[in-house]
Amino acid sequence: MKISLSPATPEAWSGSVLALGIPKDDPQDLVAAMERRFDLQLSAWLKQKPFTGKSGDLASLQLLRSDCTALVLVGLGDAAEVDRNSLRKAAAAAARAANGQSGSLALHLPWGSEDPAGDAIAAAEAVRLSLYSDLRFRSKPEPKPCPDQLELLGQWPAGIDGALAAIQPVCAGVELARELVAAPPNSVTPSELANTAEALAKDHGLELKVLERSDCEAKGMGSFLSVCQGSDMDPKFIHLTYRPSDAVHKRLVLVGKGLTFDSGGYNLKVGAAQIDMMKFDMGGSAAVFGAMRAIAELQPAGVEVHMLVASCENMINGSAVHPGDIVTASNGTTIEINNTDAEGRLTLADALVYASELKPDAIVDLATLTGACVVALGDEIAGLWSGDDGLSEALESAASNAGEGLWRMPLHSSYRKGLKSLLADMKNTGPRPGGSITAALFLKEFVEAGIPWAHIDIAGTVWTDKGRDLNPSGATGYGVRTLVNWVLSQASTAAA
Ligand code: BES
Ligand code: MN
Ligand code: ZN
Protein backbone atom coordinates (compact mmCIF):
# COMPACT_ATOMS: atom_id res chain seq x y z
CA MET A 1 0.00 0.00 0.00
CA LYS A 2 1.34 3.38 -1.03
CA ILE A 3 1.10 5.96 1.76
CA SER A 4 1.40 9.71 1.37
CA LEU A 5 0.55 13.03 3.01
CA SER A 6 -1.68 15.37 1.07
CA PRO A 7 -2.61 19.02 1.68
CA ALA A 8 -5.93 18.50 -0.16
CA THR A 9 -9.07 19.41 1.77
CA PRO A 10 -11.99 16.94 1.92
CA GLU A 11 -13.90 19.38 -0.27
CA ALA A 12 -11.25 19.20 -2.99
CA TRP A 13 -9.93 15.63 -2.84
CA SER A 14 -11.05 13.20 -5.47
CA GLY A 15 -10.35 9.47 -5.55
CA SER A 16 -12.17 6.30 -4.50
CA VAL A 17 -13.07 6.40 -0.81
CA LEU A 18 -13.17 9.60 1.22
CA ALA A 19 -13.14 8.86 4.96
CA LEU A 20 -13.69 11.61 7.51
CA GLY A 21 -13.46 11.61 11.27
CA ILE A 22 -16.48 13.42 12.69
CA PRO A 23 -16.33 14.59 16.30
CA LYS A 24 -19.49 14.52 18.35
CA ASP A 25 -21.66 17.49 17.39
CA ASP A 26 -19.39 18.23 14.42
CA PRO A 27 -17.95 21.62 15.41
CA GLN A 28 -16.10 21.78 12.07
CA ASP A 29 -19.26 21.49 10.05
CA LEU A 30 -17.69 18.82 7.90
CA VAL A 31 -21.04 17.20 7.37
CA ALA A 32 -22.44 20.41 5.95
CA ALA A 33 -19.41 20.73 3.69
CA MET A 34 -19.94 17.19 2.38
CA GLU A 35 -23.60 17.92 1.84
CA ARG A 36 -22.61 20.74 -0.50
CA ARG A 37 -19.73 18.80 -2.03
CA PHE A 38 -21.78 15.77 -3.02
CA ASP A 39 -25.21 17.38 -3.21
CA LEU A 40 -26.70 15.01 -0.63
CA GLN A 41 -29.30 15.20 2.12
CA LEU A 42 -26.55 14.00 4.44
CA SER A 43 -27.63 15.42 7.79
CA ALA A 44 -31.16 14.08 7.42
CA TRP A 45 -29.78 10.63 6.57
CA LEU A 46 -27.36 10.71 9.52
CA LYS A 47 -30.16 11.65 11.92
CA GLN A 48 -32.05 8.63 10.80
CA LYS A 49 -29.07 6.24 11.09
CA PRO A 50 -28.54 7.55 13.88
CA PHE A 51 -24.99 8.88 13.57
CA THR A 52 -24.02 11.50 16.13
CA GLY A 53 -20.22 11.30 15.91
CA LYS A 54 -19.83 9.31 19.09
CA SER A 55 -16.97 6.87 19.14
CA GLY A 56 -17.94 3.66 17.35
CA ASP A 57 -20.44 5.40 15.05
CA LEU A 58 -19.93 4.62 11.38
CA ALA A 59 -21.81 5.68 8.26
CA SER A 60 -20.80 4.65 4.80
CA LEU A 61 -22.47 5.39 1.50
CA GLN A 62 -21.79 4.72 -2.14
CA LEU A 63 -21.73 7.85 -4.29
CA LEU A 64 -23.19 7.78 -7.73
CA ARG A 65 -22.50 10.61 -10.19
CA SER A 66 -19.42 11.79 -8.34
CA ASP A 67 -15.63 11.83 -8.64
CA CYS A 68 -15.49 9.64 -5.50
CA THR A 69 -16.99 6.17 -5.10
CA ALA A 70 -17.80 6.21 -1.42
CA LEU A 71 -17.99 8.48 1.58
CA VAL A 72 -17.23 7.08 5.02
CA LEU A 73 -17.91 8.96 8.25
CA VAL A 74 -16.32 7.72 11.46
CA GLY A 75 -17.40 8.99 14.87
CA LEU A 76 -14.54 10.33 17.03
CA GLY A 77 -16.41 11.06 20.26
CA ASP A 78 -15.88 14.29 22.21
CA ALA A 79 -13.55 16.56 20.25
CA ALA A 80 -11.69 17.51 23.43
CA GLU A 81 -10.95 13.87 24.25
CA VAL A 82 -9.58 12.76 20.89
CA ASP A 83 -6.12 11.23 21.40
CA ARG A 84 -3.71 9.10 19.41
CA ASN A 85 -5.59 5.92 20.24
CA SER A 86 -8.93 7.29 19.09
CA LEU A 87 -7.28 8.28 15.80
CA ARG A 88 -5.92 4.74 15.48
CA LYS A 89 -9.37 3.25 16.11
CA ALA A 90 -11.00 5.67 13.68
CA ALA A 91 -8.41 4.88 10.99
CA ALA A 92 -9.00 1.16 11.49
CA ALA A 93 -12.78 1.60 11.27
CA ALA A 94 -12.40 3.66 8.08
CA ALA A 95 -10.14 1.01 6.55
CA ARG A 96 -12.62 -1.77 7.37
CA ALA A 97 -15.41 0.27 5.78
CA ALA A 98 -13.26 0.88 2.67
CA ASN A 99 -12.31 -2.78 2.37
CA GLY A 100 -13.90 -4.19 -0.77
CA GLN A 101 -13.28 -1.02 -2.81
CA SER A 102 -10.19 -0.66 -4.95
CA GLY A 103 -8.22 2.50 -5.68
CA SER A 104 -7.35 5.26 -3.28
CA LEU A 105 -8.47 5.96 0.27
CA ALA A 106 -8.27 9.43 1.79
CA LEU A 107 -8.34 9.84 5.54
CA HIS A 108 -9.10 13.17 7.17
CA LEU A 109 -8.71 13.24 10.96
CA PRO A 110 -7.99 15.97 13.53
CA TRP A 111 -4.21 15.46 13.61
CA GLY A 112 -2.64 16.57 16.89
CA SER A 113 -0.72 19.81 16.76
CA GLU A 114 2.12 18.72 19.04
CA ASP A 115 3.13 15.58 17.11
CA PRO A 116 1.34 15.36 13.78
CA ALA A 117 3.94 12.92 12.41
CA GLY A 118 3.23 10.51 15.28
CA ASP A 119 -0.49 10.71 14.54
CA ALA A 120 0.09 10.13 10.84
CA ILE A 121 2.22 7.07 11.56
CA ALA A 122 -0.38 5.66 13.96
CA ALA A 123 -3.24 6.14 11.50
CA ALA A 124 -1.34 4.80 8.49
CA GLU A 125 -0.23 1.69 10.40
CA ALA A 126 -3.81 1.16 11.54
CA VAL A 127 -5.08 1.31 7.94
CA ARG A 128 -2.50 -1.06 6.47
CA LEU A 129 -2.77 -3.53 9.35
CA SER A 130 -6.59 -3.49 9.27
CA LEU A 131 -6.64 -4.40 5.57
CA TYR A 132 -4.46 -7.48 6.14
CA SER A 133 -5.95 -10.76 5.01
CA ASP A 134 -4.43 -14.22 4.87
CA LEU A 135 -5.39 -16.41 1.91
CA ARG A 136 -2.28 -18.63 1.94
CA PHE A 137 -4.16 -21.75 2.86
CA ARG A 138 -7.18 -21.46 0.52
CA SER A 139 -7.14 -23.77 -2.47
CA LYS A 140 -8.71 -20.98 -4.54
CA PRO A 141 -7.63 -17.66 -3.08
CA GLU A 142 -10.18 -14.99 -3.97
CA PRO A 143 -8.67 -11.72 -2.86
CA LYS A 144 -11.24 -8.99 -2.20
CA PRO A 145 -10.48 -5.67 -3.81
CA CYS A 146 -9.03 -3.22 -1.30
CA PRO A 147 -7.53 0.26 -1.49
CA ASP A 148 -3.87 0.20 -2.53
CA GLN A 149 -3.18 3.84 -1.86
CA LEU A 150 -3.64 5.90 1.30
CA GLU A 151 -3.61 9.68 1.42
CA LEU A 152 -3.63 11.40 4.78
CA LEU A 153 -5.33 14.75 4.34
CA GLY A 154 -4.17 17.64 6.50
CA GLN A 155 -2.18 20.84 6.81
CA TRP A 156 1.12 19.05 7.38
CA PRO A 157 4.19 20.90 8.59
CA ALA A 158 7.08 20.81 6.15
CA GLY A 159 9.70 18.07 6.45
CA ILE A 160 7.74 15.38 8.26
CA ASP A 161 7.69 12.92 5.35
CA GLY A 162 10.93 11.36 6.59
CA ALA A 163 9.23 10.29 9.81
CA LEU A 164 6.81 8.20 7.77
CA ALA A 165 9.59 6.00 6.42
CA ALA A 166 9.20 3.62 9.36
CA ILE A 167 5.57 2.73 8.57
CA GLN A 168 6.15 0.15 5.84
CA PRO A 169 9.01 -1.78 7.52
CA VAL A 170 7.12 -1.89 10.81
CA CYS A 171 3.90 -3.11 9.15
CA ALA A 172 5.85 -5.70 7.17
CA GLY A 173 7.28 -6.89 10.50
CA VAL A 174 3.82 -7.15 12.06
CA GLU A 175 2.55 -9.02 9.00
CA LEU A 176 5.45 -11.47 9.14
CA ALA A 177 4.63 -12.14 12.79
CA ARG A 178 0.94 -12.64 11.98
CA GLU A 179 1.77 -15.05 9.16
CA LEU A 180 4.09 -17.10 11.34
CA VAL A 181 1.57 -17.32 14.18
CA ALA A 182 -1.44 -18.10 11.99
CA ALA A 183 0.30 -20.80 9.96
CA PRO A 184 -0.54 -24.30 11.19
CA PRO A 185 1.92 -26.41 13.15
CA ASN A 186 2.50 -28.73 10.18
CA SER A 187 3.74 -25.71 8.26
CA VAL A 188 5.63 -23.60 10.80
CA THR A 189 7.96 -26.15 12.39
CA PRO A 190 11.26 -25.41 14.16
CA SER A 191 13.08 -26.03 10.86
CA GLU A 192 10.72 -23.68 9.07
CA LEU A 193 11.47 -20.97 11.67
CA ALA A 194 15.17 -21.54 11.00
CA ASN A 195 14.47 -21.20 7.26
CA THR A 196 12.63 -17.95 7.90
CA ALA A 197 15.65 -16.70 9.84
CA GLU A 198 17.89 -17.69 6.95
CA ALA A 199 15.74 -15.77 4.48
CA LEU A 200 15.75 -12.71 6.78
CA ALA A 201 19.51 -12.92 7.12
CA LYS A 202 19.97 -13.17 3.37
CA ASP A 203 17.47 -10.49 2.35
CA HIS A 204 18.33 -7.97 5.06
CA GLY A 205 22.00 -8.49 5.76
CA LEU A 206 21.65 -9.99 9.24
CA GLU A 207 24.08 -12.44 10.77
CA LEU A 208 22.69 -15.91 11.49
CA LYS A 209 23.78 -18.80 13.64
CA VAL A 210 21.59 -21.90 14.06
CA LEU A 211 22.54 -24.34 16.80
CA GLU A 212 21.49 -27.89 16.00
CA ARG A 213 20.62 -30.49 18.65
CA SER A 214 24.25 -31.60 18.98
CA ASP A 215 25.41 -27.97 19.44
CA CYS A 216 22.80 -27.48 22.16
CA GLU A 217 23.95 -30.71 23.81
CA ALA A 218 27.53 -29.48 23.75
CA LYS A 219 26.41 -26.28 25.48
CA GLY A 220 24.62 -28.31 28.14
CA MET A 221 21.13 -27.00 27.28
CA GLY A 222 19.44 -29.86 29.08
CA SER A 223 16.45 -27.76 30.02
CA PHE A 224 15.62 -26.73 26.42
CA LEU A 225 16.35 -30.19 25.01
CA SER A 226 14.12 -31.96 27.54
CA VAL A 227 11.09 -30.27 25.98
CA CYS A 228 11.57 -31.80 22.52
CA GLN A 229 12.53 -35.31 23.62
CA GLY A 230 9.12 -36.61 22.54
CA SER A 231 9.03 -34.84 19.17
CA ASP A 232 10.08 -36.10 15.75
CA MET A 233 11.09 -32.57 14.77
CA ASP A 234 14.64 -31.43 15.40
CA PRO A 235 15.02 -28.45 17.73
CA LYS A 236 16.62 -25.30 16.36
CA PHE A 237 18.29 -22.66 18.49
CA ILE A 238 18.22 -19.57 16.29
CA HIS A 239 20.50 -16.56 16.81
CA LEU A 240 20.07 -13.57 14.46
CA THR A 241 22.13 -10.43 14.85
CA TYR A 242 21.72 -6.88 13.58
CA ARG A 243 24.94 -4.87 13.70
CA PRO A 244 24.84 -1.11 13.11
CA SER A 245 27.28 0.36 10.62
CA ASP A 246 28.68 2.71 13.27
CA ALA A 247 30.09 2.13 16.76
CA VAL A 248 28.00 0.04 19.13
CA HIS A 249 26.82 1.93 22.21
CA LYS A 250 24.22 -0.54 23.37
CA ARG A 251 23.73 -4.24 22.96
CA LEU A 252 20.15 -5.50 23.26
CA VAL A 253 18.82 -9.05 23.22
CA LEU A 254 15.28 -10.01 22.19
CA VAL A 255 14.27 -13.53 23.20
CA GLY A 256 11.10 -15.21 21.90
CA LYS A 257 9.37 -18.40 23.02
CA GLY A 258 9.28 -20.64 19.96
CA LEU A 259 7.07 -23.65 20.68
CA THR A 260 5.68 -24.47 17.26
CA PHE A 261 3.21 -26.73 19.03
CA ASP A 262 2.48 -27.30 22.71
CA SER A 263 0.49 -30.44 23.42
CA GLY A 264 1.32 -30.12 27.11
CA GLY A 265 3.41 -33.28 27.01
CA TYR A 266 2.36 -35.98 29.50
CA ASN A 267 0.54 -33.21 31.37
CA LEU A 268 -1.56 -33.25 28.21
CA LYS A 269 -3.82 -30.29 27.49
CA VAL A 270 -7.38 -31.55 27.94
CA GLY A 271 -10.84 -30.04 28.31
CA ALA A 272 -10.94 -26.28 28.10
CA ALA A 273 -7.17 -25.99 27.56
CA GLN A 274 -7.62 -25.36 23.81
CA ILE A 275 -4.91 -27.68 22.57
CA ASP A 276 -5.98 -26.85 19.01
CA MET A 277 -4.78 -23.27 19.37
CA MET A 278 -1.31 -24.20 20.56
CA LYS A 279 0.21 -23.44 17.17
CA PHE A 280 0.33 -19.87 18.49
CA ASP A 281 2.80 -20.90 21.18
CA MET A 282 5.58 -19.51 18.97
CA GLY A 283 4.02 -16.04 19.16
CA GLY A 284 6.98 -14.68 21.13
CA SER A 285 9.37 -15.84 18.43
CA ALA A 286 7.10 -14.43 15.72
CA ALA A 287 7.19 -11.04 17.45
CA VAL A 288 10.99 -10.99 17.66
CA PHE A 289 11.29 -12.17 14.04
CA GLY A 290 8.95 -9.36 12.97
CA ALA A 291 10.88 -6.82 15.04
CA MET A 292 14.20 -7.97 13.54
CA ARG A 293 12.81 -7.63 10.03
CA ALA A 294 11.79 -4.03 10.75
CA ILE A 295 15.04 -3.22 12.58
CA ALA A 296 17.12 -4.60 9.72
CA GLU A 297 15.36 -2.23 7.34
CA LEU A 298 15.36 0.79 9.63
CA GLN A 299 19.06 0.42 10.48
CA PRO A 300 19.04 2.21 13.86
CA ALA A 301 22.41 3.73 14.78
CA GLY A 302 24.52 2.65 17.72
CA VAL A 303 22.54 -0.41 18.81
CA GLU A 304 23.44 -4.03 18.24
CA VAL A 305 20.35 -6.24 18.43
CA HIS A 306 20.44 -9.98 18.99
CA MET A 307 17.43 -12.25 18.54
CA LEU A 308 17.33 -15.64 20.23
CA VAL A 309 14.71 -18.34 19.69
CA ALA A 310 15.02 -21.80 21.21
CA SER A 311 12.46 -23.49 18.99
CA CYS A 312 10.94 -26.95 19.32
CA GLU A 313 7.68 -28.85 19.80
CA ASN A 314 6.25 -30.21 23.05
CA MET A 315 4.98 -33.67 22.07
CA ILE A 316 4.53 -37.15 23.48
CA ASN A 317 6.16 -40.48 22.65
CA GLY A 318 8.17 -43.12 24.49
CA SER A 319 11.14 -40.78 24.79
CA ALA A 320 9.18 -37.79 26.02
CA VAL A 321 10.10 -36.23 29.32
CA HIS A 322 8.34 -37.79 32.33
CA PRO A 323 6.62 -35.61 34.87
CA GLY A 324 9.17 -35.80 37.68
CA ASP A 325 12.30 -35.89 35.51
CA ILE A 326 15.23 -33.81 36.69
CA VAL A 327 17.23 -31.96 34.03
CA THR A 328 20.21 -29.61 34.10
CA ALA A 329 20.21 -26.22 32.37
CA SER A 330 23.29 -24.70 30.73
CA ASN A 331 24.13 -22.62 33.82
CA GLY A 332 24.23 -25.80 35.91
CA THR A 333 20.85 -25.29 37.62
CA THR A 334 18.95 -28.56 38.14
CA ILE A 335 15.21 -28.48 37.49
CA GLU A 336 12.57 -30.98 38.56
CA ILE A 337 9.92 -30.98 35.85
CA ASN A 338 6.80 -31.36 37.96
CA ASN A 339 4.64 -30.28 35.02
CA THR A 340 5.56 -30.98 31.39
CA ASP A 341 3.10 -28.31 30.26
CA ALA A 342 5.24 -25.57 31.81
CA GLU A 343 7.64 -26.12 28.90
CA GLY A 344 8.07 -22.56 27.63
CA ARG A 345 10.12 -21.55 30.65
CA LEU A 346 12.35 -24.61 30.17
CA THR A 347 13.22 -23.49 26.65
CA LEU A 348 13.62 -19.85 27.72
CA ALA A 349 15.91 -20.83 30.60
CA ASP A 350 18.74 -21.90 28.28
CA ALA A 351 18.04 -19.00 25.91
CA LEU A 352 18.38 -16.55 28.83
CA VAL A 353 21.67 -18.13 29.92
CA TYR A 354 22.95 -17.74 26.34
CA ALA A 355 21.60 -14.15 26.25
CA SER A 356 23.44 -13.30 29.48
CA GLU A 357 26.70 -14.58 28.00
CA LEU A 358 26.41 -11.89 25.31
CA LYS A 359 26.89 -9.33 28.16
CA PRO A 360 24.07 -7.13 26.88
CA ASP A 361 22.75 -3.84 28.26
CA ALA A 362 19.24 -5.31 28.35
CA ILE A 363 17.33 -8.52 27.67
CA VAL A 364 13.61 -8.58 26.82
CA ASP A 365 11.76 -11.85 26.36
CA LEU A 366 8.29 -12.33 24.86
CA ALA A 367 6.38 -15.52 25.48
CA THR A 368 2.90 -17.03 25.39
CA LEU A 369 3.85 -18.29 28.81
CA THR A 370 0.83 -18.70 31.06
CA GLY A 371 -2.93 -19.11 30.92
CA ALA A 372 -2.91 -17.27 34.25
CA CYS A 373 -1.84 -14.09 32.45
CA VAL A 374 -4.90 -14.36 30.18
CA VAL A 375 -7.10 -14.71 33.27
CA ALA A 376 -5.47 -11.66 34.85
CA LEU A 377 -5.31 -9.27 31.89
CA GLY A 378 -7.52 -10.62 29.08
CA ASP A 379 -6.60 -10.44 25.41
CA GLU A 380 -5.88 -6.73 25.02
CA ILE A 381 -3.12 -6.32 27.59
CA ALA A 382 0.14 -8.19 27.97
CA GLY A 383 1.87 -8.56 31.35
CA LEU A 384 5.31 -7.09 32.03
CA TRP A 385 7.61 -8.40 34.73
CA SER A 386 10.94 -6.78 35.47
CA GLY A 387 13.12 -5.84 38.41
CA ASP A 388 14.45 -2.86 36.48
CA ASP A 389 12.42 0.37 36.69
CA GLY A 390 14.25 2.12 33.85
CA LEU A 391 13.73 -0.75 31.43
CA SER A 392 10.09 -1.16 32.50
CA GLU A 393 9.36 2.51 31.93
CA ALA A 394 11.06 2.46 28.53
CA LEU A 395 8.97 -0.57 27.48
CA GLU A 396 5.74 0.91 28.86
CA SER A 397 6.36 4.09 26.94
CA ALA A 398 7.22 2.15 23.76
CA ALA A 399 3.99 0.14 24.10
CA SER A 400 1.95 3.26 24.70
CA ASN A 401 3.46 4.89 21.59
CA ALA A 402 2.59 1.79 19.63
CA GLY A 403 -0.93 1.55 21.05
CA GLU A 404 -0.27 -1.96 22.39
CA GLY A 405 -1.64 -2.74 25.87
CA LEU A 406 1.08 -3.53 28.44
CA TRP A 407 0.81 -3.55 32.23
CA ARG A 408 3.58 -4.01 34.76
CA MET A 409 3.00 -6.85 37.20
CA PRO A 410 4.79 -7.68 40.46
CA LEU A 411 7.96 -9.75 40.47
CA HIS A 412 7.38 -10.56 44.10
CA SER A 413 10.38 -12.57 45.30
CA SER A 414 8.57 -14.15 48.23
CA TYR A 415 6.66 -16.32 45.71
CA ARG A 416 9.99 -17.91 44.75
CA LYS A 417 9.39 -20.44 47.53
CA GLY A 418 6.61 -21.92 45.40
CA LEU A 419 9.35 -23.28 43.12
CA LYS A 420 11.25 -25.13 45.88
CA SER A 421 11.98 -28.75 45.02
CA LEU A 422 12.70 -31.52 47.49
CA LEU A 423 15.52 -32.88 45.32
CA ALA A 424 16.59 -30.44 42.63
CA ASP A 425 17.54 -26.74 42.76
CA MET A 426 14.02 -25.84 41.73
CA LYS A 427 10.77 -27.13 40.20
CA ASN A 428 9.48 -25.71 36.93
CA THR A 429 5.97 -25.10 38.26
CA GLY A 430 4.59 -23.38 41.36
CA PRO A 431 1.04 -23.38 42.74
CA ARG A 432 -1.83 -22.23 40.51
CA PRO A 433 -2.45 -18.91 42.30
CA GLY A 434 0.01 -16.31 41.05
CA GLY A 435 1.10 -18.70 38.28
CA SER A 436 2.35 -15.92 35.98
CA ILE A 437 4.49 -14.49 38.78
CA THR A 438 6.22 -17.77 39.61
CA ALA A 439 6.76 -18.30 35.88
CA ALA A 440 8.56 -14.93 35.71
CA LEU A 441 10.53 -15.74 38.88
CA PHE A 442 11.58 -19.04 37.30
CA LEU A 443 12.96 -17.17 34.25
CA LYS A 444 14.79 -14.67 36.47
CA GLU A 445 16.96 -17.50 37.82
CA PHE A 446 18.62 -17.82 34.40
CA VAL A 447 19.44 -14.15 33.83
CA GLU A 448 22.83 -13.11 35.11
CA ALA A 449 22.45 -10.79 38.09
CA GLY A 450 22.95 -7.14 37.16
CA ILE A 451 21.71 -7.39 33.55
CA PRO A 452 18.45 -5.43 33.13
CA TRP A 453 15.82 -7.94 32.03
CA ALA A 454 12.10 -7.81 31.29
CA HIS A 455 9.63 -10.57 30.55
CA ILE A 456 6.44 -9.93 28.57
CA ASP A 457 3.69 -12.57 28.73
CA ILE A 458 1.67 -12.37 25.49
CA ALA A 459 -0.51 -15.46 26.06
CA GLY A 460 -3.66 -13.31 25.77
CA THR A 461 -2.62 -10.73 23.18
CA VAL A 462 -1.14 -13.06 20.56
CA TRP A 463 -4.56 -13.87 19.09
CA THR A 464 -8.01 -12.33 18.72
CA ASP A 465 -10.99 -14.50 17.84
CA LYS A 466 -13.33 -11.64 17.02
CA GLY A 467 -10.87 -9.05 15.74
CA ARG A 468 -10.55 -5.61 17.31
CA ASP A 469 -9.34 -2.20 16.16
CA LEU A 470 -6.44 -2.69 13.76
CA ASN A 471 -6.41 -6.47 14.25
CA PRO A 472 -8.60 -8.57 11.98
CA SER A 473 -9.62 -11.95 13.51
CA GLY A 474 -6.65 -14.20 14.12
CA ALA A 475 -3.00 -13.57 14.85
CA THR A 476 -2.29 -10.01 16.00
CA GLY A 477 1.47 -9.70 15.59
CA TYR A 478 1.42 -8.22 19.08
CA GLY A 479 4.78 -6.99 20.33
CA VAL A 480 6.47 -6.09 17.05
CA ARG A 481 5.53 -2.41 17.24
CA THR A 482 6.42 -2.15 20.94
CA LEU A 483 9.81 -3.80 20.41
CA VAL A 484 10.68 -1.66 17.40
CA ASN A 485 9.67 1.49 19.26
CA TRP A 486 11.81 0.44 22.19
CA VAL A 487 14.86 -0.43 20.09
CA LEU A 488 14.57 2.88 18.20
CA SER A 489 14.31 4.75 21.50
CA GLN A 490 17.54 3.10 22.61
CA ALA A 491 19.18 4.08 19.34
CA SER A 492 18.39 7.75 19.62
CA THR A 493 19.79 7.91 23.15
CA ALA A 494 22.62 5.49 22.40
CA ALA A 495 25.09 8.16 21.38
CA ALA A 496 24.29 10.36 24.37
N1 BES B 1 1.55 -22.18 26.11
C1 BES B 1 0.97 -22.33 27.39
C2 BES B 1 0.36 -21.05 27.92
C3 BES B 1 -0.94 -20.62 27.31
C4 BES B 1 -2.13 -21.13 27.78
C5 BES B 1 -0.96 -19.68 26.32
C6 BES B 1 -3.31 -20.70 27.25
C7 BES B 1 -2.15 -19.24 25.79
C8 BES B 1 -3.33 -19.75 26.25
C9 BES B 1 2.04 -22.75 28.39
O1 BES B 1 3.05 -23.56 27.90
C10 BES B 1 1.35 -23.55 29.45
O2 BES B 1 0.85 -24.59 29.14
N2 BES B 1 1.31 -23.02 30.66
C11 BES B 1 0.67 -23.66 31.73
C12 BES B 1 1.57 -23.53 32.94
C13 BES B 1 1.13 -24.36 34.09
C14 BES B 1 1.30 -25.81 33.80
C15 BES B 1 1.94 -23.94 35.28
C16 BES B 1 -0.67 -22.98 31.97
O3 BES B 1 -0.73 -21.75 31.87
O4 BES B 1 -1.64 -23.68 32.19
MN1 MN C 1 2.50 -25.64 27.95
ZN1 ZN D 1 3.47 -23.38 25.92
Side-chain angles (χ1 to χ4, degrees), residues 260-282:
T260 61
F261 188 72
D262 175 15
S263 72
Y266 277 102
N267 290 98
L268 188 64
K269 290 191 178 294
V270 288
Q274 285 207 323
I275 192 172
D276 58 315
M277 286 311 296
M278 284 303 145
K279 65 175 182 182
F280 71 36
D281 216 16
M282 34 59 69

Side-chain angles (χ1 to χ4, degrees), residues 245-266:
S245 52
D246 54 349
V248 174
H249 293 276
K250 274 198 182 169
R251 181 176 299 140
L252 309 175
V253 187
L254 310 177
V255 181
K257 172 173 170 181
L259 264 289
T260 61
F261 188 72
D262 175 15
S263 72
Y266 277 102

Side-chain angles (χ1 to χ4, degrees), residues 300-301 303 485-496:
V303 283
N485 263 284
W486 175 64
V487 168
L488 294 182
S489 77
Q490 298 304 296
S492 48
T493 57

Side-chain angles (χ1 to χ4, degrees), residues 322-344:
H322 314 86
D325 277 359
I326 295 177
V327 299
T328 306
S330 44
N331 66 346
T333 301
T334 59
I335 305 162
E336 178 183 3
I337 301 176
N338 60 324
N339 191 319
T340 62
D341 198 11
E343 84 299 333

Side-chain angles (χ1 to χ4, degrees), residues 140-164:
K140 297 182 193 67
E142 286 167 10
K144 270 212 288 191
C146 90
D148 60 357
Q149 216 179 314
L150 170 66
E151 290 179 50
L152 302 171
L153 310 188
Q155 302 313 305
W156 301 104
I160 73 165
D161 297 73
L164 305 191

